[in-house]
Structure formats: structure tokens, C-alpha cells
Amino acid sequence: MSKKSVAVVMGGYSDEYVVSLKSGQLIYDSLDRDLYDVYKVVILKDEWYLLDEEGQKHEIRKGDFSVPLENNDILTFDVCFNIIHGTPGENGILQAYWDAIGQKYTGCDFYQSALTFNKKDTLAVLSKYGIPSAKSVYLRKGEAIDADNITDQLGLPVFVKPNQSGSSLGISKVKEKSALLAAAEVAFKEDDEILIESFLDGMEVSVGVIDYKGETIVLGITEIVPTNEFFDYEAKYEGASEEITPARIDDETRIKVEEIAKRAYNSLGMSGFSRSEFILMDGIPYMLEMNTNPGFSPASILPQQAKIYGISIADLCGNEVEKALNKFRN
């Protein structure tokens, strides 16, 4: 049986591309070479290219996502392993393009990607399934910001965050009403829509959920203990947090978190990797967001959880490729 060709697609158009390149490298290194011919594909705003083992770039033809080679051969891919964080790989843009040209890919579909990248819409949908979240105010760029009204509704402190952005970019914790406008400006630099959320005073946990060999499983519950005010970019990617797996919670709470995390995943019709963030307050998990292409570098939470669960990175990644190969067969 001939080996399948797999493009590990990394990069992206946001500041998260640096993290994506690290995630892509781990997946590239982990996929079984006895089963797959594996290629690195980098997608940036200015160029799409295949990076060969000699470090040479080969342009990707956007018409069919193929690569012309020097010997007049054309390289195509049986599967694209999507590990772009942020736009265009986590918000549905790339998935819609791949659907249009008939290219198979890992992870969730266009709709789930677009929905989960929009925090407001995700939480609104999940509220119909009994999954609680913080009280919030939603604003578009250009709308008046009434700090008195907002703090009357939500109290202080509040979190101000872009509605559609990853890696905690543009998020501020606001303790004083006078700081609200400046925090909104920071968030609006990342997105034209922002959420202002009430403060939930509890433990933050990060929950990895995947569909593995036909079953939705919780890989692990990781307790986040940031040295900063909250789990921001520095805490996520520069070591400014303690991540404890499994989280220090009792069995009753663990079961409740696992059940809600699975319900969220299945209710949204998810596929592939996901990492959901919750605040546990008075024994209740309040959902913050769901990431459909979470960080996958060696230091990232999901690979750590998989290791503790007993699933190797090679098996975790191979499972995604096999699902994608089989998904679109008639």
C-alpha cells in the first residue's frame, strides 16, 4: 500500500503564527514515516509555500493547493493537517477554501471553526445546552462605551477581551472604572468586536477534549495558576504560569467538568483537537471559550494531557490523519 502524503499546515496571519510554527514542528516530527510522506507547508499573509528538507521554498498554487516541482511533477496532498492558530486556520476561512477545492483536512469543519472563534456566539449557543458563562456586555467598534452602565451591570473587576482572537491577545483585567476605555482600545486593536465580562472568582481549568477512535474523551483537566493577573499570552507561552495536571479538584467536581466539556464538544458537532477554558466557582464550571486549534508545542497543555492519559503524540496525530482520510469517502 502506498504511503499517504500529509501536509502539516502551519503559520497564519496573526501574531500567533510563531506558536503555530512550533506546534507544526512537533506534529511534523511525530507523524509515522512508515505510514505517511510528511511535508511542511507554511501559510503567511504574503506567501504560501512548502518548505523542503533543504530549507528551500516551493510555492503553493492556490487554485488547487498543489506544488509544482523541478522535474515537472505536481505534488498534491491526501490530507492537510491544520495546526494554524488564529486566522485563517482556526476561524473557518481555510476550511471553506479547502472544501471548495475538495481538499481533505483535519479538525472541525468550516461552521464549527467560525462559530467557536466567535466567543459571544459560542457561549450563546452553549447556553441553550445548559452550559453557564459569565455575564457580559458586547460592543462593536464605534459604539459608545458607557462605563457607568457597564460597571452597574457587571460590577468590578471585569475582563475586556476581543470577541474573535486567540492566545489571550488583547485581554485586560480592569479593576477601576477609569481604566475601562483604555482596555477597550487595546481589545479593539485585535478585533472590531469586544466582550466585557464579569469577574468569576475561582479556579481556572483547561480541558482537552478530542474524538479518539470513535469516542469523545476528556484527555485531562489542567489547573492554571498564573503568576500574572490571569492566563494571558505570557502565562500561556512564556512560562508565567504553573500548570497542574490533573487539577486539584475532588471527584464530584471532576466528573461535572468532564461532563460539561464533553457536552459542549458534542453539542457543537466538534471534531479533532479542542481545549476549553472554564472557571470553577462554587463547584460550577463556567465556560470562557473553546479553542479548536490549541497550542501543540512540547510545552503546550494538550500534549501534556495526552501523555498523562497514555496516548502518544504519534498516535494522537495519526488518529487525526486517519479520520480525515476516511471522513469524505462515499
Side-chain angles (χ1 to χ4, degrees):
M1 187 177 69
S2 61
K3 291 194 283 187
K4 299 295 186 181
S5 60
V6 180
V8 180
V9 183
M10 61 191 89
Y13 300 166
S14 73
D15 291 341
E16 296 178 84
Y17 81 93
V18 177
V19 181
S20 175
L21 295 178
K22 293 178 181 177
S23 299
Q25 184 66 52
L26 178 59
I27 291 167
Y28 176 82
D29 291 340
S30 300
L31 284 167
D32 188 341
R33 295 314 195 267
D34 290 335
L35 299 175
Y36 312 116
D37 290 322
V38 188
Y39 303 89
K40 286 185 191 178
V41 169
V42 180
I43 289 183
L44 303 173
K45 279 183 181 177
D46 299 327
E47 56 181 344
W48 294 18
Y49 60 88
L50 179 146
L51 188 66
D52 68 24
E53 293 182 355
E54 285 74 46
Q56 299 294 313
K57 294 180 180 180
H58 305 266
E59 184 181 359
I60 299 282
R61 295 197 304 199
K62 294 181 181 178
D64 58 1
F65 209 72
S66 66
V67 185
L69 301 175
E70 284 76 5
N71 56 4
N72 293 323
D73 283 348
I74 303 294
L75 174 62
T76 59
F77 306 106
D78 293 302
V79 172
C80 288
F81 199 120
N82 175 22
I83 196 62
I84 290 178
H85 312 314
T87 185
E90 200 169 1
N91 59 356
I93 293 174
L94 204 53
Q95 289 87 343
Y97 157 72
W98 280 331
D99 285 341
I101 63 170
Q103 173 65 60
K104 296 179 181 181
Y105 56 89
T106 62
C108 56
D109 294 342
F110 154 74
Y111 173 74
Q112 283 78 13
S113 301
L115 174 63
T116 52
F117 202 69
N118 186 309
K119 297 180 181 70
K120 173 181 71 73
D121 290 352
T122 301
L123 297 175
V125 169
L126 290 177
S127 70
K128 308 299 182 186
Y129 294 92
I131 297 172
S133 59
K135 290 172 62 178
S136 64
V137 171
Y138 167 77
L139 293 170
R140 292 180 180 274
K141 186 176 282 189
E143 290 182 349
I145 300 175
D146 187 336
D148 290 327
N149 183 44
I150 290 167
T151 53
D152 285 346
Q153 288 185 61
L154 304 179
L156 283 168
V158 293
F159 280 100
V160 181
K161 57 180 68 173
N163 186 41
Q164 300 185 77
S165 177
S167 293
S168 299
L169 295 168
I171 298 182
S172 304
K173 184 178 181 181
V174 175
K175 300 177 181 178
E176 304 289 339
K177 190 187 299 183
S178 58
L180 195 58
L181 290 177
E185 287 181 14
V186 170
F188 275 130
K189 288 179 181 176
E190 298 293 332
D191 188 29
D192 290 341
E193 308 167 16
I194 67 171
L195 279 181
I196 303 173
E197 293 182 339
S198 62
F199 175 62
L200 298 171
D201 189 8
M203 176 193 293
E204 180 164 359
V205 295
S206 189
V207 187
V209 183
I210 63 169
D211 52 330
Y212 186 73
K213 296 184 177 178
E215 182 183 358
T216 300
I217 63 171
V218 174
L219 277 178
I221 302 172
T222 298
E223 178 183 347
I224 307 298
V225 187
T227 53
N228 297 347
E229 281 274 1
F230 60 97
F231 196 40
D232 58 7
Y233 184 94
E234 185 183 9
K236 282 184 177 177
Y237 299 119
E238 296 173 11
S241 69
E242 186 180 4
E243 298 163 3
I244 302 167
T245 309
R248 296 170 296 184
I249 54 179
D250 58 61
D251 281 347
E252 183 182 354
T253 304
R254 174 186 60 78
I255 291 166
K256 193 178 293 185
V257 172
E258 289 179 348
E259 189 274 326
I260 279 188
K262 281 186 185 179
R263 193 193 320 160
Y265 187 95
N266 292 331
S267 298
L268 296 177
M270 283 292 301
S271 179
F273 301 156
S274 80
R275 197 190 69 227
S276 298
E277 318 299 335
F278 295 88
I279 298 290
L280 304 181
M281 192 169 70
D282 301 325
I284 299 171
Y286 290 83
M287 188 156 195
L288 300 177
E289 64 179 9
M290 181 185 289
N291 302 285
T292 58
N293 255 358
F296 210 81
S297 71
S300 296
I301 289 172
L302 202 72
Q304 291 178 36
Q305 292 175 337
K307 185 176 180 181
I308 290 171
Y309 194 94
I311 300 176
S312 71
I313 301 301
D315 285 345
L316 198 62
C317 295
N319 181 66
E320 291 304 306
V321 171
E322 292 304 314
K323 279 189 308 184
L325 285 169
N326 292 310
K327 185 174 182 180
F328 300 97
R329 287 180 183 164
N330 294 321

